[in-house]
Amino acid sequence: MQLTINGESRDVDVDPDTPLLWVIREELGLTGTKYGCGIAQCGACTVLVDGYPTRSCQTPAESVTGAEIKTIETVEETETGRRVVEAWVANQVPQCGYCQSGQVLAATALLTETPNPTDEDIEYAMVNLCRCGTYNKIRAAVRDASEA
Amino acid sequence: MTFMQKLLKQAPVNVSRRGFLSGTGALVLSTTLPVRPSKAQEAEAAAGPAVPAFLEIHEDGTAKLLSPFIEGGQGIYTTFAQVVGEELDLAPENFSVEIAPAGPPYDVMGGFRITGGSMSTRTSYELMRQLGASARAMFLEAAAQDWGVDASELTTEPGMVVHEASGRRAGYGELAAVAMDLPVPAEVTLRDPSEFRWIKTPVPRLDVRDKSTGQAKYSIDVEVDGMLLAAVQHAPRLGLTPASVSNLSEIEAMRGVHSVHLLDGAVAVVAGKFWQARRAVEAAEVEWTEGEAQWPMPADFSTDVFRDTLAGKKGEIVEVEAKGDAASALESADTVIEAIYDAPFVVHGQLEPPSATARFNDDGTLEVWTSCQAPEMFQGTAAQVAGLDPSQVSIHSQMLGGFFGRHFLYATSNPFPQAIALAKAVGQPVKLIWTREEDFLRDAPRPLGLARFRGAIGPDGPTALSVEVVGEGPTGRWYDAPVGSDPSATEGISGKSYAIANSHVGQIFHPNPAVIGYWRAVGHSMHDFMYEGFLDEIAGAAGQDPFEMRRALLTDNQRLSTLLEAVGELSGGWQPGPFEAEDGSQRARGIAMASPFGSEAAAIAEVSLDGGEVAVHQVWVAIDPGQIVNPAIVEAQVQSAVALGVSQTLVEELTYEDGEPTARNFDLYPILRPDQMPEVHVRIIESGAPMGGVGEPGLPAVGPAIVNAVATLTGERIRSLPLSKHEFGGA
């Protein structure tokens, strides 16, 4: 099947119900997207599907054949994505870093849609788990990135 | 010789001409070998040629540091770059830091090393400073010889030697070729702390950009040429092993499947891709039979029954510590209160599921890439599994996607022995990934713990305290610590600092059927909850304010007294409540203290009830690690420890029924969500005491501060975690 990932059309030969996560990691070699729980609980596998933060571990590849899929590897190609990454660095958000690809993409999706989010917007959008507990810094970084 | 003296025996040595980099013009420093090797080994190592490097300074002026300790979010790589850079006079951003391989000279903790126990910085701070200072002295000498001046006329600026009289300057990179043939000075002067430029400042972490852009690589991302992928299905109960797979031919025929393997306690599928392996192994219909596990889980094991067994356990009380005569004082007291406290099994829940990649090379050697907090121990076990000598095994420890104690060596809990067995069986490199479900099934959880308290109450507070801690600690299990001398079994109940005239702490051993492990803050993670909760019960029985009573009990302890005042002040002044908050909710605050891992800590938590559940709004922490390197990293570690402390207090509990864990993923075993995270406020106090740990000490006081606040708010004293299993009326 054909998938459009990070602006490129890619031919992949997988079973149609293969989760998008494993297509991205194993077929395309993009390892920035992480496997955390496999049941859409933690959000480490978040990618953008037509701009929406999507848990790729529970997204069958065949369901997104016509969509624009974007992974962490190209997050800095948009102005909003760049701003989010800079805010993440300035706030020294990551600790172990494993969940942060998903967090950065979730923040990018939020700020693309809602450039000046309310606290409630942030709470509603930033729901990915972080076992290191970087939640205070994630919130601060989202606020920083939204003020630009 | 004390442990710290042993550490300080190590001294830098110049291995530029002996090391693997000879001919590259880099200055390469190692250290003399630590205490354990024999004289003969020492002589052999001194003769080279393969003495591994600690610190290399390259011709381009950059430095590479090999860290004995693995980075897993705690910031150790940045911390070391700061410490070495401070003495070397090279800005931390010019360092690349990588994990050191297994073996000497990296066994810097007196002949061994682990990444754990909040030990990394405090055990190697002096050594790292000496490495940096030695290299700097050699660059000074190299320039002195080159320029024909005395080294005393020279000084350094970051990355550069300067001769002020002549205005000559040379970068370290230019001087490396000369420096590499110089002896290491016998004595070096360390920088006076008043002149620190990087130590004690919030130097940015070296890894945040890579971790913010998906570039950081973990064990799960390892790729080696020609590797196959593997997935396993473990026996649902530890101790069972596969007898057969009834649909074997179907499994073998599934897309991408290379082969199916019956391992000890698990069935594995090797395939071209992980998803193919996983799908196939989960389709396997396995017949399980009793196997020969070292710690088989009893088929009727349930956590509820186990908790009751511990609560009623009689037996020898092995004394851990004693002061005065607690038994007599309790006997003669007018008022005695008693309580039993317990805390559940908890999983590590590090977000990166365990994985390991194994490759046998043509020369018979084995390489293993995995998440690892104890490389030498992994090396030994890998060698055993492969039938090799440890010297033939290389362990490539990978950046950890969280650890919290998950990646020590725990018999059945590490995937690398299976990866080795599979690589051997298929004759190709194999990467094995455990799904989250398999991780839950074979994690080494923190043991369920229980303690029985008796306290004698006088008008001013406790006159006697007696505690029986029942159960087994991981240090007894894995390192043969005897009952009564296993800190992991009692710490947080033992080692407290309150001036109670008569006190007795004993351990009653009762074996834990689970494969138990270390969890962030280990025994402290639950025992301080128990002790500090009971202390508040004593305060209540004595009609004392819990803050004031602690103040009175700590008058002889300067560090904790300072922290108590500091955390009170940080929170805007002690106010237990209940009081009405700005949003109209009723709130209360609780206080607790802890003395974990060489540091001291105090916490205040503010809670309310939200739909019958406890919400934690604020946590204030004052922490005294004695001395620190990076205040931003310390603060981040406290934030993280608070998060885990809140998580286990509110929602975490691994239960077993019929010998099997009832949760296999984050759906039935919740961990702290973003909306449950309190605002965390941290004050760091450097008392100047010997350097203590940082990664864990922020955790232990958090749980009891929350539970004490809940008691003030609701009148209900919670003695069994987590709070989510208790029903609270609306307040």
Side-chain angles (χ1 to χ4, degrees), chain A residues 70-91:
Chain A
K70 201 169 157 118
T71 70
I72 187 69
E73 282 81 1
T74 54
V75 69
E76 291 176 288
E77 287 180 3
T78 68
E79 173 57 29
T80 305
R82 267 196 300 280
R83 221 166 55 227
V84 169
V85 168
E86 291 312 317
W88 245 245
V89 173
N91 284 275

PDB file of all heavy atoms in Angstrom, chain A residues 70-91:
ATOM      1  N   LYS A  70       2.725  12.728   9.590  1.00  0.00           N
ATOM      2  CA  LYS A  70       3.939  13.462   9.931  1.00  0.00           C
ATOM      3  C   LYS A  70       4.510  12.902  11.225  1.00  0.00           C
ATOM      4  O   LYS A  70       3.792  12.705  12.205  1.00  0.00           O
ATOM      5  CB  LYS A  70       3.567  14.925  10.116  1.00  0.00           C
ATOM      6  CG  LYS A  70       4.718  15.860   9.983  1.00  0.00           C
ATOM      7  CD  LYS A  70       4.185  17.290   9.919  1.00  0.00           C
ATOM      8  CE  LYS A  70       5.319  18.182  10.364  1.00  0.00           C
ATOM      9  NZ  LYS A  70       5.757  19.085   9.362  1.00  0.00           N
ATOM     10  N   THR A  71       5.818  12.632  11.226  1.00  0.00           N
ATOM     11  CA  THR A  71       6.471  12.105  12.431  1.00  0.00           C
ATOM     12  C   THR A  71       7.423  13.148  13.009  1.00  0.00           C
ATOM     13  O   THR A  71       7.689  14.173  12.392  1.00  0.00           O
ATOM     14  CB  THR A  71       7.267  10.823  12.120  1.00  0.00           C
ATOM     15  OG1 THR A  71       8.407  11.171  11.329  1.00  0.00           O
ATOM     16  CG2 THR A  71       6.416   9.797  11.383  1.00  0.00           C
ATOM     17  N   ILE A  72       7.950  12.838  14.171  1.00  0.00           N
ATOM     18  CA  ILE A  72       8.824  13.763  14.899  1.00  0.00           C
ATOM     19  C   ILE A  72      10.031  14.195  14.055  1.00  0.00           C
ATOM     20  O   ILE A  72      10.536  15.306  14.215  1.00  0.00           O
ATOM     21  CB  ILE A  72       9.286  13.124  16.228  1.00  0.00           C
ATOM     22  CG1 ILE A  72      10.063  14.116  17.109  1.00  0.00           C
ATOM     23  CG2 ILE A  72      10.124  11.877  15.984  1.00  0.00           C
ATOM     24  CD1 ILE A  72       9.239  15.220  17.677  1.00  0.00           C
ATOM     25  N   GLU A  73      10.463  13.323  13.139  1.00  0.00           N
ATOM     26  CA  GLU A  73      11.677  13.627  12.382  1.00  0.00           C
ATOM     27  C   GLU A  73      11.553  14.914  11.562  1.00  0.00           C
ATOM     28  O   GLU A  73      12.564  15.539  11.256  1.00  0.00           O
ATOM     29  CB  GLU A  73      12.052  12.449  11.464  1.00  0.00           C
ATOM     30  CG  GLU A  73      12.738  11.281  12.195  1.00  0.00           C
ATOM     31  CD  GLU A  73      11.780  10.334  12.913  1.00  0.00           C
ATOM     32  OE1 GLU A  73      10.544  10.554  12.854  1.00  0.00           O
ATOM     33  OE2 GLU A  73      12.273   9.366  13.538  1.00  0.00           O
ATOM     34  N   THR A  74      10.326  15.293  11.226  1.00  0.00           N
ATOM     35  CA  THR A  74      10.173  16.513  10.422  1.00  0.00           C
ATOM     36  C   THR A  74       9.427  17.604  11.185  1.00  0.00           C
ATOM     37  O   THR A  74       8.929  18.568  10.580  1.00  0.00           O
ATOM     38  CB  THR A  74       9.409  16.217   9.105  1.00  0.00           C
ATOM     39  OG1 THR A  74       8.171  15.576   9.429  1.00  0.00           O
ATOM     40  CG2 THR A  74      10.226  15.324   8.200  1.00  0.00           C
ATOM     41  N   VAL A  75       9.373  17.498  12.483  1.00  0.00           N
ATOM     42  CA  VAL A  75       8.586  18.465  13.257  1.00  0.00           C
ATOM     43  C   VAL A  75       9.090  19.898  13.054  1.00  0.00           C
ATOM     44  O   VAL A  75       8.306  20.849  13.074  1.00  0.00           O
ATOM     45  CB  VAL A  75       8.560  18.099  14.753  1.00  0.00           C
ATOM     46  CG1 VAL A  75       9.941  18.287  15.406  1.00  0.00           C
ATOM     47  CG2 VAL A  75       7.522  18.921  15.500  1.00  0.00           C
ATOM     48  N   GLU A  76      10.388  20.041  12.833  1.00  0.00           N
ATOM     49  CA  GLU A  76      10.933  21.395  12.721  1.00  0.00           C
ATOM     50  C   GLU A  76      10.741  22.009  11.331  1.00  0.00           C
ATOM     51  O   GLU A  76      11.250  23.084  11.052  1.00  0.00           O
ATOM     52  CB  GLU A  76      12.408  21.397  13.119  1.00  0.00           C
ATOM     53  CG  GLU A  76      12.590  21.149  14.613  1.00  0.00           C
ATOM     54  CD  GLU A  76      14.051  21.061  15.019  1.00  0.00           C
ATOM     55  OE1 GLU A  76      14.698  20.056  14.689  1.00  0.00           O
ATOM     56  OE2 GLU A  76      14.527  22.008  15.652  1.00  0.00           O
ATOM     57  N   GLU A  77      10.001  21.317  10.474  1.00  0.00           N
ATOM     58  CA  GLU A  77       9.748  21.886   9.149  1.00  0.00           C
ATOM     59  C   GLU A  77       8.658  22.944   9.168  1.00  0.00           C
ATOM     60  O   GLU A  77       8.460  23.658   8.185  1.00  0.00           O
ATOM     61  CB  GLU A  77       9.413  20.769   8.149  1.00  0.00           C
ATOM     62  CG  GLU A  77      10.651  19.969   7.793  1.00  0.00           C
ATOM     63  CD  GLU A  77      10.379  18.856   6.808  1.00  0.00           C
ATOM     64  OE1 GLU A  77       9.219  18.732   6.352  1.00  0.00           O
ATOM     65  OE2 GLU A  77      11.337  18.114   6.513  1.00  0.00           O
ATOM     66  N   THR A  78       7.902  23.030  10.263  1.00  0.00           N
ATOM     67  CA  THR A  78       6.935  24.124  10.345  1.00  0.00           C
ATOM     68  C   THR A  78       7.378  25.108  11.414  1.00  0.00           C
ATOM     69  O   THR A  78       8.099  24.743  12.352  1.00  0.00           O
ATOM     70  CB  THR A  78       5.518  23.629  10.729  1.00  0.00           C
ATOM     71  OG1 THR A  78       5.540  23.146  12.075  1.00  0.00           O
ATOM     72  CG2 THR A  78       5.030  22.552   9.784  1.00  0.00           C
ATOM     73  N   GLU A  79       6.925  26.337  11.273  1.00  0.00           N
ATOM     74  CA  GLU A  79       7.266  27.389  12.227  1.00  0.00           C
ATOM     75  C   GLU A  79       6.797  27.001  13.637  1.00  0.00           C
ATOM     76  O   GLU A  79       7.542  27.145  14.612  1.00  0.00           O
ATOM     77  CB  GLU A  79       6.606  28.702  11.761  1.00  0.00           C
ATOM     78  CG  GLU A  79       6.718  29.853  12.739  1.00  0.00           C
ATOM     79  CD  GLU A  79       8.158  30.175  13.099  1.00  0.00           C
ATOM     80  OE1 GLU A  79       9.049  29.952  12.264  1.00  0.00           O
ATOM     81  OE2 GLU A  79       8.376  30.623  14.239  1.00  0.00           O
ATOM     82  N   THR A  80       5.582  26.474  13.723  1.00  0.00           N
ATOM     83  CA  THR A  80       5.063  26.086  15.037  1.00  0.00           C
ATOM     84  C   THR A  80       5.898  24.960  15.636  1.00  0.00           C
ATOM     85  O   THR A  80       6.255  24.987  16.816  1.00  0.00           O
ATOM     86  CB  THR A  80       3.593  25.647  14.917  1.00  0.00           C
ATOM     87  OG1 THR A  80       2.870  26.703  14.288  1.00  0.00           O
ATOM     88  CG2 THR A  80       2.989  25.356  16.277  1.00  0.00           C
ATOM     89  N   GLY A  81       6.233  23.990  14.831  1.00  0.00           N
ATOM     90  CA  GLY A  81       7.038  22.870  15.309  1.00  0.00           C
ATOM     91  C   GLY A  81       8.398  23.343  15.817  1.00  0.00           C
ATOM     92  O   GLY A  81       8.870  22.895  16.868  1.00  0.00           O
ATOM     93  N   ARG A  82       9.001  24.258  15.062  1.00  0.00           N
ATOM     94  CA  ARG A  82      10.300  24.805  15.494  1.00  0.00           C
ATOM     95  C   ARG A  82      10.173  25.499  16.848  1.00  0.00           C
ATOM     96  O   ARG A  82      11.009  25.355  17.719  1.00  0.00           O
ATOM     97  CB  ARG A  82      10.821  25.824  14.462  1.00  0.00           C
ATOM     98  CG  ARG A  82      11.747  25.241  13.414  1.00  0.00           C
ATOM     99  CD  ARG A  82      12.510  26.330  12.684  1.00  0.00           C
ATOM    100  NE  ARG A  82      11.653  27.293  11.992  1.00  0.00           N
ATOM    101  CZ  ARG A  82      11.083  27.069  10.810  1.00  0.00           C
ATOM    102  NH1 ARG A  82      11.272  25.913  10.187  1.00  0.00           N
ATOM    103  NH2 ARG A  82      10.330  27.987  10.254  1.00  0.00           N
ATOM    104  N   ARG A  83       9.097  26.264  16.978  1.00  0.00           N
ATOM    105  CA  ARG A  83       8.898  27.007  18.220  1.00  0.00           C
ATOM    106  C   ARG A  83       8.705  26.054  19.408  1.00  0.00           C
ATOM    107  O   ARG A  83       9.216  26.290  20.494  1.00  0.00           O
ATOM    108  CB  ARG A  83       7.670  27.911  18.070  1.00  0.00           C
ATOM    109  CG  ARG A  83       7.866  29.278  18.664  1.00  0.00           C
ATOM    110  CD  ARG A  83       6.801  30.263  18.215  1.00  0.00           C
ATOM    111  NE  ARG A  83       5.455  29.802  18.475  1.00  0.00           N
ATOM    112  CZ  ARG A  83       4.462  29.845  17.598  1.00  0.00           C
ATOM    113  NH1 ARG A  83       4.670  30.352  16.380  1.00  0.00           N
ATOM    114  NH2 ARG A  83       3.271  29.417  17.902  1.00  0.00           N
ATOM    115  N   VAL A  84       7.972  24.987  19.146  1.00  0.00           N
ATOM    116  CA  VAL A  84       7.750  24.004  20.218  1.00  0.00           C
ATOM    117  C   VAL A  84       9.086  23.365  20.626  1.00  0.00           C
ATOM    118  O   VAL A  84       9.404  23.268  21.818  1.00  0.00           O
ATOM    119  CB  VAL A  84       6.735  22.928  19.779  1.00  0.00           C
ATOM    120  CG1 VAL A  84       6.706  21.769  20.776  1.00  0.00           C
ATOM    121  CG2 VAL A  84       5.348  23.546  19.637  1.00  0.00           C
ATOM    122  N   VAL A  85       9.870  22.966  19.641  1.00  0.00           N
ATOM    123  CA  VAL A  85      11.161  22.336  19.967  1.00  0.00           C
ATOM    124  C   VAL A  85      12.036  23.313  20.757  1.00  0.00           C
ATOM    125  O   VAL A  85      12.657  22.943  21.763  1.00  0.00           O
ATOM    126  CB  VAL A  85      11.884  21.859  18.693  1.00  0.00           C
ATOM    127  CG1 VAL A  85      13.334  21.491  19.000  1.00  0.00           C
ATOM    128  CG2 VAL A  85      11.158  20.664  18.083  1.00  0.00           C
ATOM    129  N   GLU A  86      12.073  24.567  20.313  1.00  0.00           N
ATOM    130  CA  GLU A  86      12.898  25.552  21.038  1.00  0.00           C
ATOM    131  C   GLU A  86      12.388  25.740  22.467  1.00  0.00           C
ATOM    132  O   GLU A  86      13.175  25.903  23.399  1.00  0.00           O
ATOM    133  CB  GLU A  86      12.943  26.886  20.297  1.00  0.00           C
ATOM    134  CG  GLU A  86      13.717  26.855  18.981  1.00  0.00           C
ATOM    135  CD  GLU A  86      15.096  26.183  19.092  1.00  0.00           C
ATOM    136  OE1 GLU A  86      15.808  26.443  20.084  1.00  0.00           O
ATOM    137  OE2 GLU A  86      15.431  25.374  18.210  1.00  0.00           O
ATOM    138  N   ALA A  87      11.078  25.731  22.638  1.00  0.00           N
ATOM    139  CA  ALA A  87      10.523  25.867  23.993  1.00  0.00           C
ATOM    140  C   ALA A  87      10.864  24.644  24.840  1.00  0.00           C
ATOM    141  O   ALA A  87      11.132  24.761  26.039  1.00  0.00           O
ATOM    142  CB  ALA A  87       9.004  26.045  23.923  1.00  0.00           C
ATOM    143  N   TRP A  88      10.875  23.489  24.198  1.00  0.00           N
ATOM    144  CA  TRP A  88      11.245  22.250  24.926  1.00  0.00           C
ATOM    145  C   TRP A  88      12.703  22.337  25.396  1.00  0.00           C
ATOM    146  O   TRP A  88      13.034  21.947  26.508  1.00  0.00           O
ATOM    147  CB  TRP A  88      11.054  21.032  24.015  1.00  0.00           C
ATOM    148  CG  TRP A  88       9.990  20.095  24.489  1.00  0.00           C
ATOM    149  CD1 TRP A  88      10.175  18.812  24.899  1.00  0.00           C
ATOM    150  CD2 TRP A  88       8.573  20.350  24.596  1.00  0.00           C
ATOM    151  NE1 TRP A  88       8.965  18.258  25.269  1.00  0.00           N
ATOM    152  CE2 TRP A  88       7.979  19.171  25.091  1.00  0.00           C
ATOM    153  CE3 TRP A  88       7.760  21.446  24.329  1.00  0.00           C
ATOM    154  CZ2 TRP A  88       6.603  19.055  25.328  1.00  0.00           C
ATOM    155  CZ3 TRP A  88       6.396  21.350  24.565  1.00  0.00           C
ATOM    156  CH2 TRP A  88       5.832  20.179  25.055  1.00  0.00           C
ATOM    157  N   VAL A  89      13.570  22.860  24.505  1.00  0.00           N
ATOM    158  CA  VAL A  89      14.987  22.978  24.869  1.00  0.00           C
ATOM    159  C   VAL A  89      15.158  24.062  25.934  1.00  0.00           C
ATOM    160  O   VAL A  89      15.843  23.858  26.940  1.00  0.00           O
ATOM    161  CB  VAL A  89      15.840  23.284  23.626  1.00  0.00           C
ATOM    162  CG1 VAL A  89      17.284  23.587  24.024  1.00  0.00           C
ATOM    163  CG2 VAL A  89      15.795  22.106  22.641  1.00  0.00           C
ATOM    164  N   ALA A  90      14.516  25.205  25.730  1.00  0.00           N
ATOM    165  CA  ALA A  90      14.679  26.306  26.685  1.00  0.00           C
ATOM    166  C   ALA A  90      14.189  25.925  28.076  1.00  0.00           C
ATOM    167  O   ALA A  90      14.786  26.307  29.077  1.00  0.00           O
ATOM    168  CB  ALA A  90      13.928  27.539  26.182  1.00  0.00           C
ATOM    169  N   ASN A  91      13.116  25.158  28.128  1.00  0.00           N
ATOM    170  CA  ASN A  91      12.578  24.736  29.423  1.00  0.00           C
ATOM    171  C   ASN A  91      13.219  23.455  29.945  1.00  0.00           C
ATOM    172  O   ASN A  91      12.860  22.987  31.024  1.00  0.00           O
ATOM    173  CB  ASN A  91      11.063  24.543  29.336  1.00  0.00           C
ATOM    174  CG  ASN A  91      10.312  25.868  29.326  1.00  0.00           C
ATOM    175  OD1 ASN A  91      10.031  26.420  30.377  1.00  0.00           O
ATOM    176  ND2 ASN A  91      10.031  26.403  28.140  1.00  0.00           N
TER     177      ASN A  91
END
